[in-house]
Amino acid sequence: MEALWGTIVNVLAIVTGGLAGVILPRMSGSMRTVIMQGLGLAVLFLGFSMGLKSEKILFVVVSLVVGGIIGEIIKIDHLLEAAGERFEKAVKKIVPQKQKKSHIAEGFVTATLVFCVGAMAILGSIESGLRGDHTILYTKAMLDGIASVVFASTLGIGVIFSAIPLLIYQGGIALGAKSITSFMSPAELNAVITEISAVGGILIAAIGVNLLRIKKINVVNLLPSIFIIAGLALINVRFGFL
């Protein structure tokens, strides 16, 4: 249970921030625009800074292309949108009228990607699972809590439900950390985390582009690239083919 404390705090921060964003007086249109632009620029910068840390750019390119093809075949975006719509129906009776018209599915999907994809989620969960050190996840919780206030005030109550996949994602990594390291050397683990963070950073940058409304990028269908890059990085370190 101790391995999950960092994740639990992170979940509580998102729920609390999301509720605050929904309950607080609605922001003016110009205020929401400025905040979302600032957040979009910050997310874009974070994504680029993470993406540039890759040591295998070719792997990143292959992962994004193949991952995008797989995601498009599976139609992950449709699955997540359907989940968001089910959430919307479930909370329809308890949500204020002004929130019923909000894009709950969009809030759920956007917040899930921002909170789940990134170096802090991966490294923090591994640290929690292996050493019981929750410092990284506590820091992430503060950042996510602030972001959830802004997201919820602009995208609606769907942001709160992003805490569910985050609990499963980070909690799963934390609980499985010991079993993962049992068949991975420190060098292999470091390579996998580095390349996952790089691809995750590119996806985060794409979210920043979406938030700035520069171009609509279907980030959801690119998610399989994270698993592909992890496999390529592991195989490369283990067999050294590139």
Side-chain angles (χ1 to χ4, degrees):
M1 182 65 181
E2 182 182 349
L4 295 177
W5 274 120
T7 297
I8 291 173
V9 171
N10 201 167
V11 166
L12 292 175
I14 291 173
V15 173
T16 302
L19 288 173
V22 171
I23 296 172
L24 291 176
R26 198 161 179 82
M27 299 179 184
S28 64
S30 60
M31 180 66 73
R32 288 198 306 273
T33 299
V34 170
I35 292 177
M36 291 304 290
Q37 287 176 342
L39 186 60
L41 288 171
V43 170
L44 193 64
F45 175 77
L46 174 62
F48 281 141
S49 64
M50 290 170 56
L52 292 173
K53 294 180 180 179
S54 172
E55 297 177 359
K56 297 292 181 180
I57 299 299
L58 179 60
F59 288 179
V60 172
V61 174
V62 171
S63 298
L64 288 171
V65 173
V66 177
I69 293 173
I70 295 174
E72 196 58 38
I73 293 174
I74 300 175
K75 297 294 183 184
I76 300 176
D77 55 340
H78 292 173
L79 296 176
L80 281 179
E81 285 173 7
E85 289 171 1
R86 285 196 292 271
F87 280 131
E88 185 172 3
K89 291 178 181 179
V91 301
K92 192 173 183 180
K93 295 181 180 180
I94 61 174
V95 179
Q97 184 64 34
K98 63 181 181 179
Q99 285 292 334
K100 290 180 185 179
K101 298 179 181 179
S102 64
H103 302 290
I104 292 182
E106 180 184 357
F108 170 70
V109 171
T110 299
T112 296
L113 288 171
V114 171
F115 297 150
C116 290
V117 179
M120 293 184 75
I122 299 171
L123 293 173
S125 298
I126 291 175
E127 285 286 298
S128 292
L130 291 181
R131 307 192 324 182
D133 184 352
H134 311 296
T135 304
I136 297 177
L137 288 187
Y138 288 159
T139 303
K140 180 176 179 292
M142 289 189 290
L143 296 173
D144 289 352
I146 296 172
S148 64
V149 174
V150 179
F151 278 138
S153 66
T154 55
L155 298 176
I157 200 171
V159 172
I160 296 175
F161 297 111
S162 66
I164 297 174
L166 180 133
L167 175 63
I168 297 172
Y169 176 67
Q170 291 187 177
I173 293 176
L175 293 176
K178 290 185 179 180
S179 61
I180 290 175
T181 55
S182 66
F183 65 88
M184 290 176 63
S185 67
E188 291 172 340
L189 186 62
N190 180 67
V192 168
I193 291 175
T194 297
E195 299 308 320
I196 286 179
S197 298
V199 171
I202 293 175
L203 299 185
I204 288 289
I207 293 172
V209 172
N210 288 344
L211 290 175
L212 293 171
R213 303 194 182 280
I214 298 173
K215 174 73 175 179
K216 182 64 176 178
I217 300 175
N218 195 343
V219 182
V220 176
N221 284 354
L222 291 170
L223 285 177
S225 59
I226 293 178
F227 299 98
I228 294 174
I229 193 69
L232 288 175
L234 178 60
I235 293 172
N236 180 62
V237 175
R238 185 162 292 184
F239 301 104
F241 64 87
L242 280 178

